[in-house]
């Protein structure tokens, strides 16, 4: 029965998409984020659904779209360069079989990210893509939020739709995504046009944000806690009454503590006492191994090179650094491990793609933060009604990317498709505004009103 529902739903949207080919792009985004193939017992996971949808999306663009407004930016060329470089490192990977398995989904993420700026040529298309990303992520987040509110959850035990520990179904990743989309939710609730910002939209947005904040509690992922802190700091920049905001945040935080499960607060305490936490100590040891590895292999070892690591480190026995260890207990114990993942996007890029890959990745992301800041400053003080949505969207995309960049310090999500969609949106947004400014510069004043309606 579940398979028939998914097949019927996707088939219905695909039929609609033959009249509006851009819908194929949104359906592909839905399939990539929600992964209905994993939820299906047989029908959907027996066909290459993603490949079919991308082929239809590309065919719709190639045959039905007007190409005169297509623009790309330097970061778009860097995406293409990163794709080619990842292909090269895969061909010479230290772990060829594992590297090929990861390459099979990484190239799709990069190709789709490069494709999106070609087709996101209008405000409506960009908003539709943002809305699709938020609603698709909410399918997982609302489920997890309800389970958390009902008393479920726990580290590694919060099941979101299916019992899977990969992609957006993994606790740390979905926690990072949940906090990352909050700025986009706020923008849609204020400036969306597909769903007009009435009380129903604002009410759903408030409930969805609350569910997003519950996800780190339910998953007990420390990455989510850090992302919430980053979000709070970023919002401080834009609120009018900062002291009132800080007081409200402190009050809400103190009021929420009694309702948090003890397992959550215990795990959160390990952030400040990392030397006695095996997970944190393992990450530090893996990062040290990665640095030594790239000093000998500056071009990286290809995907999943972490499988070659052999680490040894000492971990403090006491869980409370303020209390002395037991008299007859050793102060530290030796830990020996191997094949541990990077648990950091930065070290993931460094170990797998070396210094060139890390540099390209950083330019792509930091370039986005910089360009959104430039756009925000250009349009922040403009008073034209048709431009009031621009600066807030630039701020939302910038804040989302900053949250990702901080959260990815502690989880290996350097190639997650969801975040490359954010990059593609930034590139599309940037080139769209550049086209508007260029056309406005030479158009007669009488025709600028028509341009504003485009």
């Amino acid at each position: 029965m579940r398979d028939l529902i998914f097949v019927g739903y996707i088939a219905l949207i695909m039929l609609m998409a033959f009249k509006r080919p851009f819908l194929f792009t949104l359906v592909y985004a839905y399939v990539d984020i929600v992964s209905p193939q994993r939820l299906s017992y047989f029908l959907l996971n027996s066909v290459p659904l993603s490949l079919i949808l991308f082929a239809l999306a590309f065919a719709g663009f190639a045959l039905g779209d007007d190409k005169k407004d297509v623009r790309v930016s330097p970061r778009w060329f860097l995406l293409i360069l990163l794709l080619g470089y990842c292909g090269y490192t895969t061909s010479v990977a230290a772990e060829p079989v594992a590297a090929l398995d990861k390459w099979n989904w990484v190239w799709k993420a990069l190709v789709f990210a490069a494709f999106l700026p070609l087709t996101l040529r209008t405000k409506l298309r960009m908003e539709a893509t943002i809305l699709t990303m938020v609603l698709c992520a909410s399918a997982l987040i609302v489920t997890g939020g309800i389970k958390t509110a009902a008393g479920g959850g726990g580290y590694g035990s919060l099941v979101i739709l299916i019992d899977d520990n990969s992609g957006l179904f993994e606790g740390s990743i979905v926690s990072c995504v949940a906090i990352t989309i909050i700025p986009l939710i706020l923008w849609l609730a204020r400036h969306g046009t597909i769903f007009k910002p009435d009380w129903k939209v604002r009410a759903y947005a408030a409930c969805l944000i609350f569910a997003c904040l519950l996800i780190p509690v339910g998953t007990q992922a420390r990455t989510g806690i850090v992302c919430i802190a980053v979000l709070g700091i970023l919002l401080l920049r834009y609120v009018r009454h900062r002291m009132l905001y800080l007081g409200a945040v402190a009050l809400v935080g103190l009021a929420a503590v009694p309702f948090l499960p003890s397992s959550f607060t215990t795990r959160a305490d390990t952030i400040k006492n990392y030397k006695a936490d095996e997970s944190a100590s393992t990450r530090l040891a893996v990062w040290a191994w990665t640095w030594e590895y790239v000093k000998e292999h500056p071009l990286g070892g290809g995907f999943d090179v972490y499988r070659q690591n052999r680490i040894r480190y000492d971990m403090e026995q006491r869980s409370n650094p303020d209390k002395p260890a037991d008299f007859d207990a050793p102060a530290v114990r030796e830990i020996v491990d191997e094949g541990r993942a990077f648990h950091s996007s930065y070290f993931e890029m460094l170990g797998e793609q070396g210094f060139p890959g890390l540099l390209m990745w950083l330019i792509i992301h930091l370039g986005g933060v910089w360009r959104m800041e430039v756009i925000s400053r250009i349009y922040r003080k403009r008073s034209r009604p048709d431009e009031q949505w621009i600066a807030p969207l630039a701020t939302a995309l910038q804040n989302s990317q900053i949250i990702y960049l901080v959260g990815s310090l502690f989880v290996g999500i350097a190639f997650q498709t969801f975040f490359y969609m954010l990059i593609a949106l930034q590139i599309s947004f940037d080139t769209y505004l550049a086209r508007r400014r260029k056309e406005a510069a030479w158009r007669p004043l009488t025709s600028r009103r028509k341009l504003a309606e485009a």
Side-chain angles (χ1 to χ4, degrees), residues 175-210:
S175 294
C176 185
V177 169
I179 308 305
T180 296
I181 67 172
I182 289 179
L184 299 178
I185 297 171
L186 292 172
W187 182 82
L188 287 170
R190 294 171 182 168
H191 302 279
T193 57
I194 297 175
F195 293 104
K196 300 295 183 180
D198 57 12
W199 70 269
K200 296 186 292 293
V201 169
R202 293 190 179 96
Y204 180 77
C207 293
L208 181 55
I209 290 173
F210 182 64

Side-chain angles (χ1 to χ4, degrees), residues 387-407:
E387 294 180 345
Q388 295 305 301
W389 62 276
I390 296 177
L393 180 56
T395 299
L397 290 171
Q398 182 190 56
N399 288 347
S400 293
Q401 190 162 28
I402 292 174
I403 293 169
Y404 161 73
L405 288 172
V406 177

Side-chain angles (χ1 to χ4, degrees), residues 37-95:
Q37 311 97 307
R38 300 187 190 183
L39 305 176
S40 171
Y41 291 112
F42 172 72
L43 293 177
L44 288 182
N45 54 32
S46 61
V47 296
L49 185 60
S50 296
L51 183 61
I52 293 171
L53 286 170
F54 180 77
L56 289 171
F58 184 80
F61 166 75
L63 301 176
D65 262 16
D66 187 356
K67 313 300 187 302
K68 68 177 182 179
D69 292 334
V70 172
R71 301 286 190 278
V72 293
S73 71
R75 286 199 298 152
W76 185 86
F77 290 103
L78 267 180
L79 278 174
I80 300 299
L81 184 60
L82 181 61
L83 172 65
Y85 185 74
C86 289
Y88 164 73
T89 58
T90 301
S91 67
V92 295
E95 295 284 334

Side-chain angles (χ1 to χ4, degrees), residues 120-136:
L120 299 183
R121 300 178 293 102
T122 66
K123 174 183 181 291
L124 180 60
R125 289 190 175 189
M126 288 185 286
E127 182 184 340
T129 304
I130 295 171
L131 182 63
T132 299
M133 292 171 63
V134 168
L135 291 180
C136 288

Side-chain angles (χ1 to χ4, degrees), residues 154-158 160 164-180 215-216 218-227 267 279 283 343-344 403-404 407-413 416 419:
Y155 182 65
S157 62
L158 180 65
I160 301 177
D164 197 336
N165 197 39
S166 61
L168 266 64
F169 298 98
E170 195 275 330
S172 295
I173 298 177
V174 73
S175 294
C176 185
V177 169
I179 308 305
T180 296
I215 289 297
T219 60
Q220 296 183 7
R222 291 168 295 193
T223 301
I225 303 173
V226 173
C227 289
R267 183 160 175 79
S279 175
R283 295 183 188 199
H343 287 293
S344 170
I403 293 169
Y404 161 73
S408 63
L409 280 167
F410 311 104
V411 60
I413 48 177
Q416 279 295 321
F419 301 108

